[in-house]
Amino acid sequence: MWGRLRSRVGAGGLVIGVIVVAALIFIGFSVLQSIRPDEVNIAAGSNFSCTVLSVYDGDGPINCAEVDGQGRQVTVRLRGIEAREPDNSCQTEICPRMSGEEAKAALTRLAVGRLQCASFGPSYDRVDASCRNPDGIDISCELIRTGAAVRWPEFDREERLVSCVPPRQ
């Protein structure tokens, strides 16, 4: 087969064909490498980036484009806050004033682009983290300030969010 092909295109044409095929393989491999998600370290105490793909409800999870060390998609549970669930229920004694739908919309407006997050460690199949958006806004704090979420003291033992709670009126 190669003999017939070589006689039709000549040795120079065959070399060019091989070079073209090798270049296409190289380009294909390079493209596949560039679309592979970034791997991030989500161990407690680590800082990591989260490129937001979607938001489930008002306190997360926030689904990130990045993967962890085991190749699993990173999902963030915002530390120390509670927002209403999609059915408007809540798990704390004091419920946020915004509905579940409004809280999700508030988080969706804040969690855009690439977030910078600080890990507090695992939380079920998610990472418990505090995150800032590209404008430098602490997302959990802003959700508390606007009434989309309440501070959940049991999960804010370091009291990072105390100053975010609006004074009672």
Side-chain angles (χ1 to χ4, degrees):
M1 177 180 147
W2 289 111
R4 281 190 246 166
L5 181 62
R6 190 178 314 147
S7 67
R8 286 188 189 160
V9 296
L14 185 59
V15 170
I16 290 172
V18 169
I19 291 171
V20 168
V21 168
L24 289 173
I25 291 170
F26 176 78
I27 291 168
F29 181 76
S30 297
V31 167
L32 287 176
Q33 290 289 55
S34 69
I35 60 173
R36 186 182 64 197
D38 290 339
E39 183 178 306
V40 294
N41 180 359
I42 57 169
S46 298
N47 294 316
F48 64 94
S49 295
C50 167
T51 307
V52 178
L53 296 176
S54 64
V55 168
Y56 177 73
D57 67 16
D59 53 24
I62 298 170
N63 298 305
C64 308
E66 291 76 10
V67 296
D68 66 14
Q70 284 74 46
R72 296 178 301 219
Q73 180 183 22
V74 173
T75 55
V76 173
R77 168 61 165 92
L78 292 172
R79 179 164 182 84
I81 65 169
E82 170 64 8
R84 288 185 186 264
E85 301 300 321
D87 67 0
N88 288 321
S89 64
C90 63
Q91 299 178 28
T92 56
E93 291 178 22
I94 301 171
C95 292
R97 74 170 192 271
M98 282 190 193
S99 71
E101 185 178 326
E102 292 168 322
K104 179 180 178 179
L107 178 55
T108 300
R109 281 190 302 275
L110 288 167
V112 293
R114 193 168 189 138
L115 308 180
Q116 296 303 313
C117 302
S119 173
F120 288 85
S123 175
Y124 301 98
D125 59 343
R126 303 173 184 139
V127 59
D128 187 25
S130 63
C131 299
R132 292 185 176 276
N133 69 14
D135 294 329
I137 295 170
D138 182 312
I139 294 172
S140 297
C141 199
E142 190 64 19
L143 291 170
I144 292 170
R145 280 193 196 108
T146 61
V150 293
R151 178 178 169 262
W152 197 345
E154 181 181 345
F155 298 101
D156 184 34
R157 291 185 204 102
E158 63 281 350
E159 299 186 345
R160 187 182 71 80
L161 300 171
V162 168
S163 65
C164 306
V165 178
R168 296 198 187 258
Q169 299 179 344

